[in-house]
Amino acid sequence: MPRVTAVIPAHNGAAFIGTAIRSVLAQTCTDLEVLVADDGSSDETVAIVESFGAPVRLIRVRHGNTQATRNAAIAASDSEFVGLLDQDDTWWPQKLERQLALMDADRALGLCYTDTRGVDPAGQELSERHNPLQVPQDQTDALGRLLRVNIMAASTVLLRRSVLTRVGTFDPAYHLAGDWDLWLRLAEEAPIAAVPQVLIDYCWHGGNLSHGRIAILAEGIAVQETALERIARHPRWSTDARLQTYLPAARRKLAARCSEVGLLYARAGRRAEALTWHGRALRLAPWTPRAWSRWARAFLGRRTEAGS
């Protein structure tokens, strides 16, 4: 049994998949396997994967859903750790070594992530795509940060299987925000940590933006709302005084997302949907002038100007 399984969900990834696999095989930690779950590719993805041989394995699925595809790969492996890697990203050689050192030093840790470098398909750095890494102080701080925003890229994440078994895998109902949902559920039950170093290249290309902004925001809102409801019922976190200090910022961020959805609907001329989303934003943050301004414009049917 390998210590780490690198799980790569793939779909028509022939342009990238070979580079992703080679980045795993180049790790300084060698007790690993690569498990590619191909979801109905019609290009050369399967042939490229099969050309590697052991320790690269291929399974074929028909899900049309990244989260379900990841789950199939996790279920088909039995390693102590699961490392996530998207087909168009690459790991730096010492990624696993540095993460395993942290996970071995603290057996309670359920998840470890790293900083990223944004690159274009040619591997050239895109400095404007770099967001400062958020490094949590402890479990409470990690959960509080995650209740506001997703603080990690999936390709940076190393998961301890024993903790994953406790909290469950990805929820396929979330096509676009399933990773954030899993991080939140895991952070409720176990500490998480970050290696404050760039250890992956995150590739930016047209496919990153293939989903509409409204769909992305709506899923994020659903994940955040569900997490806040879960926290309100949680036997530990519902009474944790320190975590409560994070909740106002989380609710303000949730309101801002609802307001942005309302703005996008208003720009599309869909007044009823705009008013519904602006109303949700105002219920969450009633003292926000911008939210009231957006609601008024939608109510009066005025054309919403860009950047409002």
Side-chain angles (χ1 to χ4, degrees):
M1 177 180 77
R3 193 162 193 223
V4 180
T5 298
V7 165
I8 307 178
H11 176 72
N12 289 343
F16 304 102
I17 193 72
T19 301
I21 291 171
R22 283 189 289 273
S23 79
V24 180
L25 299 179
Q27 292 294 298
T28 54
C29 162
T30 58
D31 189 4
L32 54 78
E33 68 171 346
V34 184
L35 204 167
V36 179
D38 182 77
D39 191 355
S41 290
S42 58
D43 64 1
E44 297 302 311
T45 297
V46 168
I48 292 170
V49 174
E50 290 180 332
S51 71
F52 280 91
V56 179
R57 289 198 287 141
L58 173 75
I59 62 172
R60 300 195 192 195
V61 297
R62 284 280 185 176
H63 293 312
N65 181 307
T66 299
Q67 316 310 339
T69 301
R70 285 171 173 158
N71 288 345
I74 292 169
S77 62
D78 59 358
S79 53
E80 182 182 358
F81 295 96
V82 173
L84 304 177
L85 179 59
D86 288 344
Q87 66 181 12
D88 46 5
D89 298 333
T90 55
W91 288 352
W92 289 23
Q94 291 185 310
K95 176 187 182 289
L96 288 182
E97 178 185 342
R98 292 177 181 175
Q99 288 185 296
L100 287 170
L102 202 59
M103 299 285 269
D104 287 343
D106 185 352
R107 298 283 179 173
L109 289 177
L111 177 157
C112 178
Y113 63 102
T114 79
D115 202 354
T116 68
R117 182 180 74 149
V119 299
D120 66 17
Q124 296 300 306
E125 183 173 0
L126 301 172
S127 57
E128 69 275 13
R129 290 295 189 179
H130 184 264
N131 294 315
L133 181 70
Q134 295 192 44
V135 180
Q137 302 169 9
D138 52 31
Q139 185 178 3
T140 304
D141 185 46
L143 180 55
R145 290 170 185 260
L146 278 165
L147 284 168
R148 181 178 178 274
V149 67
N150 188 356
I151 62 175
M152 67 195 82
S155 289
T156 72
V157 169
L158 183 68
L159 296 156
R160 193 184 300 274
R161 186 180 296 271
S162 60
V163 177
L164 194 60
T165 300
R166 294 206 315 264
V167 304
T169 52
F170 294 95
D171 185 344
Y174 297 121
H175 289 241
L176 308 174
D179 51 354
W180 188 17
D181 168 69
L182 178 55
W183 317 155
L184 279 159
R185 287 188 281 116
L186 194 146
E188 292 171 26
E189 302 302 322
I192 70 175
V195 177
Q197 295 171 292
V198 171
L199 290 170
I200 79 152
D201 280 349
Y202 184 96
C203 184
W204 288 90
H205 53 86
N208 298 124
L209 306 175
S210 59
H211 301 287
R213 180 67 178 161
I214 288 178
I216 293 170
L217 284 166
E219 271 211 9
I221 288 166
V223 165
Q224 196 178 12
E225 284 182 331
T226 300
L228 288 168
E229 291 168 1
R230 205 166 50 238
I231 290 298
R233 303 189 304 268
H234 197 283
R236 171 184 174 185
W237 298 116
S238 61
T239 58
D240 188 288
R242 183 162 160 243
L243 184 67
Q244 303 308 305
T245 65
Y246 291 85
L247 299 187
R251 294 191 183 101
R252 287 194 299 271
K253 186 65 174 179
L254 177 59
R257 289 191 173 97
C258 291
S259 181
E260 185 178 349
V261 174
L263 178 64
L264 292 170
Y265 273 123
R267 288 176 175 168
R270 297 171 62 174
R271 184 180 175 192
E273 291 99 327
L275 288 170
T276 297
W277 283 97
H278 286 318
R280 290 177 67 174
L282 288 168
R283 284 191 293 274
L284 287 161
W287 308 114
T288 307
R290 173 174 286 190
W292 278 108
S293 174
R294 289 175 173 177
W295 177 88
R297 291 183 182 188
F299 181 77
L300 296 171
R302 293 179 182 173
R303 183 176 180 275
T304 306
E305 295 178 1
S308 65

